[in-house]
């Protein structure tokens, strides 16, 4: 494995929190003019606003549980993580959770539960959820484990605590891979980054369970791979409209309609774009662009923020943004501790 630059792991977790907090403003909006996005983002510089005025949602609430569980157990422990999800929900149920996952979180708090994966399997007539709730909280897995195979294995299991449909948990695997590769500097070569994601997902989606789910839901044979190929076509075009991105990749609450989209936002914003202010750096461009897509903006910006934050590092994050977003400072501290876990594992400790 290669080693990442100092500020990057912090950038990944903080980027995710910022995306969730700033994206909440437009969640569910069908059309979001770029001028509204820029007005919202400019407003963050307003000194008169208090600290943490933009609250985080379920995306960050669950990611915090993942971080705390990985740190406390020094690795993945499904019982502990499930307990933390349930407890967090019972303490703060109003963070905007998906309407289905609430049932899982309630069942997970039962002391009689013998299999923590069972409530997720019961969702949606036994097929499990394909929502993006597994993917939105997955970044800490990418930070904690040095081996790609561990990142894949544990991000999948972590997602399956609430999302047992392969179109849900494979989205989490894809997002974790993107953050992990970005931490290693893979976005310096965007075409190879995408090739690597495709070759990994070709293998992931080759599994029988994935093939069965894809068939049952009338999706392509390998749905995430198919989207990644579409993403590559979009990147090759000289001009792409917001409408085309939404049409080809989606902006919805399903992992399939949001994880590839978040990856596209990052890749598209690696360079300056006409529609975005020239003084914006790459992370700010990624945030603004993600919000302008509308739909599941908090989650798409959260996932794009994690990948972009891993690439650009924490140094480029505007201080004013750090201040307004609830949980951003805390994410910086916990990312440091997670990164220590990574080093411990990398050294075989
Ligand atoms: O995936 P999940 O945790 O929701 C995450 C989203 C993020 O945008 C958050 O910011 C928050 O707003 O919610 O929650 P789920 O309830 O598992 O899935 C979300 C929604 O996807 C469900 O409420 C359904 O509308 C839809 N969905 C399905 N619909 C039909 N059949 C997910 N799986 C299915 C399915 O199998
Ligand atoms: Mg949310
Ligand atoms: Mg959302």
């Amino acid at each position: 494995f290669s080693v990442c630059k100092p500020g990057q792991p912090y950038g990944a977790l903080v980027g995710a929190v910022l995306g969730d907090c700033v994206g909440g403003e437009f969640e569910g909006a069908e059309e979001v003019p770029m001028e509204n996005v820029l007005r919202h983002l400019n407003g963050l510089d307003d000194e008169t606003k208090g600290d943490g005025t933009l609250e985080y949602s379920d995306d960050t609430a669950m990611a915090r549980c993942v971080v705390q569980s990985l740190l406390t157990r020094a690795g993945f422990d499904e019982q502990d993580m499930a307990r933390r999800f349930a407890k967090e929900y019972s303490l703060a149920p109003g963070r905007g959770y998906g309407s289905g996952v609430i049932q899982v979180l309630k069942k997970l708090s039962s002391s009689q539960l013998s299999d923590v994966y069972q409530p997720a399997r019961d969702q949606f007539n036994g097929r499990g959820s394909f929502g993006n709730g597994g993917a939105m909280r997955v970044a800490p897995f990418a930070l904690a484990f040095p081996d790609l195979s561990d990142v894949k294995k544990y991000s999948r299991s972590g997602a399956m605590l609430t999302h047992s449909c392969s179109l849900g948990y494979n989205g989490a695997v894809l997002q974790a891979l993107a953050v992990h590769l970005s931490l290693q500097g893979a976005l310096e070569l965007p075409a190879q980054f995408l090739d690597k994601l495709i070759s990994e997902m070709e293998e992931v989606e080759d599994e029988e369970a994935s093939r069965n789910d894809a068939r049952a839901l009338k999706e392509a044979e390998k749905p995430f791979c198919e989207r990644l190929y579409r993403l590559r076509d979009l990147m090759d075009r000289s001009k792409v409209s917001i409408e085309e991105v939404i049409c080809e990749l989606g902006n919805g609450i399903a992992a399939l309609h949001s994880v590839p989209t978040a990856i596209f936002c990052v890749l598209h914003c690696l360079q300056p774009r006409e529609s975005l202010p020239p003084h914006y750096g790459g992370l700010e461009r990624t945030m603004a662009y993600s919000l302008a897509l509308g739909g599941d903006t908090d989650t798409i910006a959260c996932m794009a923020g994690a990948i972009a934050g891993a690439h650009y590092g924490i140094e480029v994050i505007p201080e004013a943004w750090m201040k307004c977003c609830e949980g951003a400072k805390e994410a910086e501290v916990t990312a440091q501790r997670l990164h220590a876990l990574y080093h411990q594992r990398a050294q075989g400790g």
Side-chain angles (χ1 to χ4, degrees):
F1 64 94
S2 42
V3 180
C4 36
K5 285 187 259 166
Q8 288 176 312
Y10 321 135
L13 283 204
V14 175
V17 176
L18 293 182
D20 181 16
C21 291
V22 302
E25 173 81 8
F26 303 108
E27 189 178 21
E30 212 164 290
E31 254 176 68
V32 184
M34 185 59 91
E35 53 173 295
N36 294 12
V37 170
L38 298 180
R39 197 180 315 123
H40 177 51
L41 292 178
N42 288 338
L44 305 184
D45 296 327
D46 186 347
E47 293 285 338
T48 59
K49 287 218 180 103
D51 288 358
T53 42
L54 292 181
E55 290 180 4
Y56 62 71
S57 77
D58 56 329
D59 304 45
T60 301
M62 294 193 92
R64 288 174 76 241
C65 297
V66 173
V67 170
Q68 291 307 330
S69 183
L70 291 174
L71 285 174
T72 311
R73 307 298 303 152
F76 179 62
D77 175 339
E78 64 269 24
Q79 309 282 339
D80 181 77
M81 201 172 282
R83 214 166 19 237
R84 285 173 193 274
F85 289 155
K87 180 145 186 241
E88 168 63 34
Y89 174 71
S90 72
L91 291 174
R95 291 270 187 193
Y97 288 86
S99 53
V101 78
I102 289 171
Q103 301 309 317
V104 179
L105 297 171
K106 285 180 181 162
K107 289 184 193 168
L108 285 177
S109 58
S110 157
S111 54
Q112 270 122 58
L113 195 68
S114 57
D115 179 358
V116 287
Y117 293 105
Q118 192 55 45
R121 284 189 211 111
D122 296 339
Q123 293 294 92
F124 298 100
N125 303 316
R127 190 171 291 138
S129 170
F130 52 59
N132 55 19
M136 72 189 183
R137 61 174 188 251
V138 86
F141 288 100
L143 265 73
F145 300 101
D147 290 334
L148 203 68
S149 57
D150 284 341
V151 172
K152 288 198 301 198
K153 179 167 72 182
Y154 296 125
S155 60
R156 179 182 198 265
S157 301
M160 285 175 89
L161 289 169
T162 49
H163 292 68
S164 79
C165 176
S166 64
L167 277 96
Y169 63 73
N170 283 344
V173 173
L174 174 58
Q175 169 66 10
L177 285 170
V179 175
H180 191 74
L181 294 175
S182 176
L183 279 171
Q184 301 185 338
L187 282 171
E188 298 293 339
L189 299 168
Q192 275 99 316
F193 169 81
L194 196 50
D195 286 346
K196 176 75 174 159
L197 287 181
I198 291 173
S199 73
E200 291 291 337
M201 291 309 289
E202 284 282 358
E203 200 187 304
V204 167
E205 294 196 295
D206 202 34
E207 277 184 21
E208 206 184 323
S210 299
R211 288 177 170 274
N212 289 343
D213 285 341
R215 205 174 302 122
L217 289 162
K218 297 192 167 59
E219 292 291 344
E221 213 182 334
K222 296 183 176 180
F224 284 98
C225 290
E226 190 225 18
R227 297 271 156 163
L228 291 172
Y229 286 117
R230 287 191 202 178
L231 196 166
R232 181 147 75 189
D233 289 343
L234 285 179
M235 273 174 66
D236 289 342
R237 293 188 205 168
S238 55
K239 256 196 155 49
V240 192
S241 69
I242 296 269
E243 291 73 25
E244 284 172 297
V245 178
I246 297 171
C247 174
E248 294 290 319
L249 302 177
N251 64 357
I253 211 164
L256 186 63
H257 303 153
S258 51
V259 180
T261 312
I263 296 171
F264 177 79
C265 290
V266 179
L267 292 170
H268 184 73
C269 294
L270 285 172
Q271 61 212 70
R273 295 287 170 182
E274 251 174 50
S275 60
L276 295 163
H279 69 273
Y280 267 16
L283 187 102
E284 291 148 294
R285 286 197 295 271
T286 307
M287 288 290 162
Y289 192 79
S290 308
L291 268 47
L293 292 180
D296 195 0
T297 47
D298 67 330
T299 305
I300 293 174
C302 170
M303 297 190 293
I307 304 166
H311 176 63
Y312 299 109
I314 194 156
E315 294 83 3
V316 303
I317 295 176
E319 186 53 34
W321 293 23
M322 289 290 296
K323 271 184 72 180
C324 326
C325 296
E326 181 194 13
K329 287 272 180 218
E330 184 205 73
E332 185 179 355
V333 177
T334 52
Q336 275 166 16
R337 295 178 54 208
L338 259 191
H339 199 53
L341 188 64
Y342 170 100
H343 279 298
Q344 210 179 317
R345 288 189 165 261
Q347 287 153 13

